[in-house]
Amino acid sequence: MRKFTLNDGRIRFGWMCMLLLAVFAGVIVRLGWLQIVRADDLRKQSENQLTADLTQKHPRGRIVDRDGEELAVSIMTGSLYVDPEGMSDDSLAGKARPQRDARRIAADLLAPVLKMDKERLYKTFTGGGRFVWLKRTMDPKEKEQVRKIIKENKLPGLHFLEESKRYYTKKRTAAQILGFIGTDDVGLSGIEYQLNDILKGKDTKYSLMVDAAGQQILGGLTSDKDQSVQKKQEQLPTVYLTLDSKMQYVLEDAMDDAIARTHAKGAAAIIMDPYTGEILGMASRPTFDPNSFHKYSQESWNNKAVSMIYEPGSVFKPIVGCMGLTEGIISPNTIFNDAGSIRIADRIIHNWDGEGLGYVPFSTIIKFSINTGMVQLGMSLGADRLISYAKKFGFGSPTGIDLPGEENGILYDPKMMYEPDVATMAIGQGIAVTPIQVLRAICAIANGGELLKPYIIKKIVAPDGSVIQEGQKQVVRNVITPEVAAQMRSMMEKVVSEGGGKTAAIKGYRIAGKTGTAEKLAEGGGYAAGKYIASFVGFVPADKPKYAMLVMLDTPQGAFYGSQVSAPIFRDTLQQILVAKGIQPTNREGLPSFDMMNDAGSKAKNKPKKLPQVLLLSNGKMKLPDFKGIDMRYTAELLQQGHLRLKPYGSGIAYQQRPAPDTEVTEGTTVEVWFK
């Protein structure tokens, strides 16, 4: 056996030193690799394990009507998110381990409330990461249910964050005008889309700090801004629309009633101030509730008032009449021979009833919507003048209204028009228009010749009260002289008082208007058999118009003439508005009032002893009085005091009502009253 020598010890010591040196060098290299080469990656990995980045949405600006009544507001509500890493069993170190996977328990309990698939929810919980949205802007009731489940079952990794939710206060009212927003707070249609940059609040990006169990660390919500700044809600501008909420309600109610009675495929109605271009009411059918827009078809999102193109039919005849008057081709007394039909090249055009009136003045051509006379005028004007004037009246191009989705319409190229094209255009066929284009053109007749740019944004007001933007009257051009406008107004008034538009008459008021019935264009070209567009357009009072209105029904079932289905809607809607706004009849003959009944010369038996009143009850309801024997104006005033709505039938003195007298009703109830 060899003896251990000093030299052997030195050799071993040397090897140990070399080994230690190698280990030390390895540590130095590893530290250099971690702290220099991979420093950024490791720092991000550490931050990801402790923080979750998210973006918080701030409340959008309000949308209100012309008087400040709220239409769209933002409210703060809870949004649910999950920290998948915080749901794992490893995150529960130091705690009693659950008998079942916490993620599976959470999925089973929350899926029914959140209306989500259990397995899909479970996969979200097991997908890793520190932050995943589960449901944004929950309803308060739903949020409370989820909070209770989390608390009672001590579910880890699930948290709420306060976010802004858009709420449309009047549900379906003005839905297509207001539009809606997506979950990312971006406007997707209507005013929400049009003014998204103005209404949308600035996003704040946060880093949410959590502990090893996924629980939010107190004070761990950090951002580039100071905490006090974060908590302060951003003040945003308020958008005032030109809409009158009361008019809009009447219009919406009329559209619902029209669809129910006619079973039309769609409808549109617009009320406009003919002297300013302000849109006071606008409704489209089918419609939707923007609070839950995803439950409705995309067709219901479309605003037919600006986006639907169709042949106008006879409502275009006053425009052609103005062309002839301006060019000096006709006067209201120019005589035409109406034989009931007329041949133009290979086309025979008939009157709507196939009958002829013989020799009649042009005023009668308009009054009874005689096709033969209009065709003769159209042929005298010719293709170039017809198209030139149509463009001058605003057809074939957008009106410029501050709403998205407006269509141009379609006009002929005059060089490509044959004689039958000229003839049919004169009676409102062969071209395509939008409802807003038709109403704007008719307003030019109503106001004395000014073609206006319609607008629906009245003003945008900053939080400090200063006006950022204000809508105002814009005259695009003068299209006819005041004299021509007055002549056509007079002829259109006779349409309602003596002609084919009698169903639009409101007793005591001077109404000017025009009916229209046009075959509907088929998708593959030509006309769709048995399908029509029925419309009525007019204004009141005829001499000094306050309101202009258009009603258009798409494919009504059964009766389809404008005089049968659209004119009565025009009448009933405007009658309610005129009464509600206190606009007095031009002629009160045959319209006894309550004041008249109380004149000294009236018989005592016709004189009510006491004025009826709407009685407010202790339960918050109201008791209806007996309206029998009082006039429409006072009836409307009584109902307005109780925030009730009047739906009148006829005119004069009330004789019947529904609900009956002494019925208890709630605010907003519609009361039907018959007058004679």
Side-chain angles (χ1 to χ4, degrees), residues 251-271:
L251 203 58
E252 299 277 359
D253 189 51
M255 288 292 95
D256 286 339
D257 186 56
I259 294 295
R261 287 192 295 105
T262 69
H263 304 287
K265 178 184 177 182
I270 314 169
I271 302 174

Side-chain angles (χ1 to χ4, degrees), residues 215-274:
Q215 301 297 323
Q216 181 179 329
I217 297 173
L218 185 63
L221 194 62
T222 63
S223 76
D224 296 334
K225 300 179 180 180
D226 181 76
Q227 287 283 357
S228 61
V229 177
Q230 294 172 22
K231 293 179 180 178
K232 185 179 179 181
Q233 284 191 8
E234 182 184 10
Q235 296 296 308
L236 291 168
T238 296
V239 174
Y240 285 78
L241 302 183
T242 59
L243 294 180
D244 182 307
S245 286
K246 296 181 179 63
M247 287 191 186
Q248 186 68 29
Y249 175 84
V250 172
L251 203 58
E252 299 277 359
D253 189 51
M255 288 292 95
D256 286 339
D257 186 56
I259 294 295
R261 287 192 295 105
T262 69
H263 304 287
K265 178 184 177 182
I270 314 169
I271 302 174
M272 180 172 165
D273 184 326

Side-chain angles (χ1 to χ4, degrees), residues 206-451:
Y206 292 101
S207 292
L208 185 66
M209 301 184 68
V210 294
D211 61 20
Q215 301 297 323
Q216 181 179 329
I217 297 173
L218 185 63
L221 194 62
T222 63
S223 76
D224 296 334
K225 300 179 180 180
D226 181 76
Q227 287 283 357
S228 61
V229 177
Q230 294 172 22
K231 293 179 180 178
K232 185 179 179 181
Q233 284 191 8
E234 182 184 10
Q235 296 296 308
L236 291 168
T238 296
V239 174
Y240 285 78
L241 302 183
T242 59
L243 294 180
D244 182 307
S245 286
K246 296 181 179 63
M247 287 191 186
Q248 186 68 29
Y249 175 84
V250 172
L251 203 58
E252 299 277 359
D253 189 51
M255 288 292 95
D256 286 339
D257 186 56
I259 294 295
R261 287 192 295 105
T262 69
H263 304 287
K265 178 184 177 182
I270 314 169
I271 302 174
M272 180 172 165
D273 184 326
Y275 283 97
T276 66
E278 289 179 287
I279 301 298
L280 304 173
M282 179 182 284
S284 179
R285 292 294 182 275
T287 190
F288 68 102
D289 183 347
N291 292 299
S292 52
F293 67 90
H294 55 278
K295 296 180 180 179
Y296 298 81
S297 67
Q298 290 189 19
E299 182 190 2
S300 68
W301 304 346
N302 295 331
N303 188 350
K304 292 183 182 294
V306 300
S307 67
M308 181 176 172
I309 57 173
Y310 62 100
E311 290 192 353
S314 294
V315 294
F316 192 68
K317 289 176 180 176
I319 307 301
V320 179
C322 287
M323 300 178 193
L325 292 168
T326 301
E327 289 293 310
I329 297 173
I330 59 166
S331 73
N333 298 318
T334 300
I335 301 299
F336 287 80
N337 182 17
D338 172 28
S341 64
I342 186 170
R343 177 184 287 274
I344 302 295
D346 60 348
R347 184 83 57 86
I348 298 178
I349 298 174
H350 299 272
N351 288 336
W352 67 273
D353 59 358
E355 300 294 327
L357 296 180
Y359 291 95
V360 293
F362 183 72
S363 59
T364 299
I365 299 293
I366 291 291
K367 182 166 66 175
F368 292 112
S369 199
I370 298 172
N371 285 341
T372 59
M374 294 306 303
V375 168
Q376 293 174 60
L377 173 57
M379 299 309 294
S380 298
L381 285 164
D384 288 327
R385 284 193 287 191
L386 273 173
I387 296 300
S388 176
Y389 271 103
K391 289 181 177 179
K392 194 175 180 181
F393 270 94
F395 296 101
S397 59
T399 65
I401 188 172
D402 29 22
L403 284 172
E406 185 180 11
E407 292 288 344
N408 294 338
I410 303 171
L411 291 178
Y412 286 107
D413 178 347
K415 295 178 181 179
M416 302 298 291
M417 292 177 73
Y418 297 96
E419 286 186 337
D421 299 328
V422 175
T424 54
M425 181 175 172
I427 59 174
Q429 294 181 357
I431 62 172
V433 302
T434 63
I436 189 67
Q437 286 176 341
V438 174
L439 184 59
R440 174 170 78 150
I442 294 298
C443 281
I445 297 172
N447 65 33
E450 293 180 339
L451 186 74

